Amino acid sequence: MADWVTGKVTKVEFWTDALFSLTVHAPIHPFKAGQFAKLGLEIDGERVQRAYSYVNAPSDPNLEFYLVTVPDGKLSPRLAALKPGDEVLIVSEAAGFFVLEEIPECETLWMLATGTAIGPYLSILQEGKDLERFKNLVLVHAARYAEDLSYLPLMLELQKRYEGKLRIQTVVSRETVAGSLHGRVPALIESGELERAVGLTMRAEDSHVMLCGNPQMVRDTQQLLKETRQMAKHLRRRPGHMTAEHYW
């Protein structure tokens, strides 16, 4: 049985009408960058819970989650309505294997995300541990509109912190925005546009691709890389080139 503890909301930040970040203080167990927790509320006599990735580094006591409000959802609209000082339930033990220790040695680590799935990568990059074994880091955040790139300022700060090792690329699918690529991630890989923009190649010989977010993006990208780059899913018993986390 999951061990639930009570957390206190310290901050709610709305990025758009639908996107918001929730910051919580709670007595949780240590977690690894890239893992997720479950948040819950007691609603009409039952505990409604959903899994959300940590955005903050494990060393940061401000537990941060990046959420999208599902209009008819049972939980997200209520989480969005919370105010500082309100209580929220959280599982004390984090879960998930979308962590760096599961990633094999490679020269270039590609971190591809859609929407709120940027969270695990921000946790990994803010913590900054176990990254010295990669020569290049590439962080790609894909969203529908430019206003949905909530953490772009933090991404750019991290790019400066890593002094040329980290390359940032945003992708917007429903409008044309200067500095962002336009379209869907699989199509941008297939055309070579993503690699040209970043200045690196995505190859089985020296790359590993982490995929997190929209299940369709994850499936399509995996299939494309399998067919065109001879990349395989990474398994503990059979090392490969792709590690994925579906976000719903």
Side-chain angles (χ1 to χ4, degrees):
M1 290 291 290
D3 182 15
W4 289 87
V5 296
T6 300
K8 185 159 285 190
V9 175
T10 60
K11 183 180 179 183
V12 184
E13 182 159 4
F14 286 90
W15 305 100
T16 67
D17 290 343
L19 294 167
F20 68 101
S21 296
L22 197 65
T23 305
V24 178
H25 279 176
I28 62 164
H29 298 305
F31 70 93
K32 297 174 184 175
Q35 289 191 305
F36 62 86
K38 287 183 180 178
L39 298 181
L41 291 172
E42 295 291 340
I43 302 172
D44 298 328
E46 67 168 321
R47 180 181 296 148
V48 180
Q49 57 184 299
R50 299 288 184 271
Y52 299 103
S53 291
Y54 286 105
V55 174
N56 59 293
S59 55
D60 186 347
N62 297 300
L63 311 178
E64 187 173 352
F65 304 92
Y66 184 34
L67 295 81
V68 60
T69 303
V70 180
D72 299 322
K74 272 191 171 184
L75 184 61
S76 60
R78 293 177 186 255
L79 291 175
L82 294 175
K83 301 287 189 290
D86 288 345
E87 293 183 342
V88 62
L89 297 171
I90 181 170
V91 171
S92 62
E93 193 80 49
F97 298 97
F98 200 69
V99 295
L100 283 183
E101 67 182 51
E102 297 290 333
I103 305 299
E105 300 292 329
C106 67
E107 187 171 297
T108 302
L109 179 62
W110 294 79
M111 298 176 280
L112 312 183
T114 58
T116 56
I118 191 70
Y121 301 130
L122 296 177
S123 181
I124 288 168
L125 291 167
Q126 287 184 98
E127 186 70 354
K129 293 180 179 178
D130 198 27
L131 290 169
E132 61 282 345
R133 59 196 178 98
F134 308 110
K135 180 181 177 183
N136 306 301
L137 303 169
V138 181
L139 178 61
V140 177
H141 188 198
R144 293 179 303 168
Y145 300 99
E147 68 172 6
D148 299 333
L149 300 169
S150 311
Y151 283 92
L152 182 56
L154 174 58
M155 291 163 63
L156 295 174
E157 280 181 30
L158 289 166
Q159 188 174 37
K160 286 182 182 177
R161 171 177 152 186
Y162 282 94
E163 301 176 332
K165 180 171 180 169
L166 173 63
R167 306 185 192 200
I168 299 290
Q169 183 60 57
T170 54
V171 176
V172 177
S173 61
R174 298 194 182 178
E175 61 181 346
T176 302
V177 181
S180 292
L181 296 178
H182 177 72
R184 294 185 67 242
V185 169
L188 293 168
I189 294 173
E190 187 170 22
S191 69
E193 194 173 349
L194 176 59
E195 289 156 289
R196 286 193 295 273
V198 170
L200 293 167
T201 52
M202 196 180 288
R203 306 181 302 182
E205 306 94 90
D206 56 16
S207 299
H208 194 91
V209 183
M210 297 179 76
L211 297 154
C212 191
N214 183 307
Q216 194 64 54
M217 181 279 287
V218 172
R219 284 192 295 268
D220 290 350
T221 303
Q222 285 179 319
Q223 189 63 31
L224 173 70
L225 293 177
K226 179 182 176 182
E227 292 175 355
T228 65
R229 312 293 174 96
Q230 289 71 55
M231 289 184 166
K233 289 182 183 179
H234 177 65
L235 302 171
R236 281 180 173 177
R237 65 181 183 275
R238 190 175 69 246
H241 318 95
M242 300 181 288
T243 300
E245 179 112 296
H246 291 187
Y247 234 52
W248 61 79

